[in-house]
Amino acid sequence: ILNVEQSPQSLHVQEGDSTNFTCSFPSSNFYALHWYRWETAKSPEALFVMTLNGDEKKKGRISATLNTKEGYSYLYIKGSQPEDSATYLCASTQGGSEKLVFGKGMKLTVNP
Amino acid sequence: ETGVTQTPRHLVMGMTNKKSLKCEQHLGHNAMYWYKQSAKKPLELMFVYSLEERVENNSVPSRFSPECPNSSHLFLHLHTLQPEDSALYLCASSQLLAGGKETQYFGPGTRLLVL
């Protein structure tokens, strides 16, 4: 059974703080790791898809890294802003399956 | 806007009602998905349709019945639901190439309450 874990489950930070959160997943038969950003009452929005060990991706102030050998990915937000407040989801796929297995998400609140 | 729309956005139904959720994607994708999110649980895959054929049914009770009449539309027919079926139901679509890497694009979901 593929189990994806995210930590912490929630985080409150002040505007300007940098944050990072962790997604862990089984490393055996790993295929891809997806990060999504989900604002309340909106659709989850894709941030990154990563497949290779050591991958690093960046989108503005948000970046992510991937370690497939130990089964984790980090998501960093530099200089958090109130508009970064959202739930951040990670999901993993195995062995070429299109089935995304999601973690419970990490709810970020950035206070002005 | 992700290019995936869902209607209705909110639905309240009794246990004896029959209702349907609708999803439409405007992205030209060839795969569509239904997910369920219950309180404090991860998003959980229910059904996958690829090229309008169901390829995955994640042990979902038969009171949930999906239908994919064409590549742009997906329905979830609901019949004699239970209060524990109250949840957010999300639709997604993707262009399947080498399964697992493709981004799935989500709709905003239907918030369902079963009384």
Side-chain angles (χ1 to χ4, degrees):
Chain A
I1 296 174
L2 183 59
N3 206 28
V4 176
E5 302 285 345
Q6 289 188 247
S7 61
Q9 290 191 13
S10 67
L11 195 58
H12 290 252
V13 301
Q14 290 300 123
E15 183 175 353
D17 288 348
S18 292
T19 65
N20 71 81
F21 6 109
T22 306
C23 173
S24 62
F25 52 88
S27 54
S28 62
N29 210 22
F30 168 83
Y31 197 70
L33 193 284
H34 300 245
W35 280 102
Y36 283 85
R37 179 174 179 275
W38 193 4
E39 287 183 70
T40 304
K42 294 190 176 180
S43 308
E45 173 199 350
L47 288 173
F48 307 114
V49 182
M50 295 185 289
T51 57
L52 298 176
N53 187 44
D55 254 355
E56 272 192 52
K57 297 233 171 160
K58 191 173 178 184
K59 189 175 183 176
R61 292 179 291 99
I62 305 178
S63 60
T65 61
L66 180 67
N67 182 322
T68 60
K69 295 187 178 179
E70 295 180 48
Y72 64 84
S73 175
Y74 292 140
L75 188 77
Y76 300 93
I77 302 180
K78 186 177 176 182
S80 305
Q81 300 295 308
E83 57 265 31
D84 296 327
S85 297
T87 295
Y88 292 83
L89 300 172
C90 74
S92 180
T93 58
Q94 282 188 310
S97 166
E98 68 279 352
K99 181 178 174 179
L100 283 177
V101 177
F102 281 87
K104 288 185 181 180
M106 200 290 300
K107 185 171 181 180
L108 175 67
T109 304
V110 183
N111 299 309
Chain B
E1 290 295 328
T2 60
V4 180
T5 57
Q6 289 186 243
T7 54
R9 294 292 305 274
H10 300 270
L11 179 62
V12 179
M13 60 188 287
M15 289 191 282
T16 57
N17 292 158
K18 287 184 186 181
K19 296 284 184 184
S20 296
L21 309 185
K22 180 182 174 183
C23 176
E24 185 173 357
Q25 58 99 357
H26 312 274
L27 301 168
H29 289 161
N30 60 10
M32 296 187 78
Y33 311 78
W34 279 117
Y35 286 88
K36 174 184 177 182
Q37 189 178 43
S38 306
K40 309 216 173 173
K41 288 189 176 179
L43 270 173
E44 187 183 356
L45 181 66
M46 299 174 74
F47 300 105
V48 181
Y49 275 82
S50 173
L51 298 171
E52 298 148 50
E53 302 244 341
R54 191 191 308 181
V55 297
E56 180 99 28
N57 174 356
N58 247 15
S59 305
V60 179
S62 59
R63 57 186 184 269
F64 295 92
S65 173
E67 180 191 359
C68 188
N70 57 60
S71 60
S72 300
H73 293 87
L74 184 66
F75 294 90
L76 188 63
H77 303 299
L78 313 172
H79 176 49
T80 59
L81 294 193
Q82 303 298 310
E84 60 264 29
D85 297 321
S86 299
L88 181 69
Y89 291 84
L90 285 164
C91 171
S93 72
S94 71
Q95 183 64 20
L96 284 182
L97 299 167
K101 289 185 192 177
E102 300 80 21
T103 295
Q104 291 184 20
Y105 294 81
F106 285 84
T110 296
R111 176 71 63 186
L112 174 68
L113 178 62
V114 182
L115 300 175

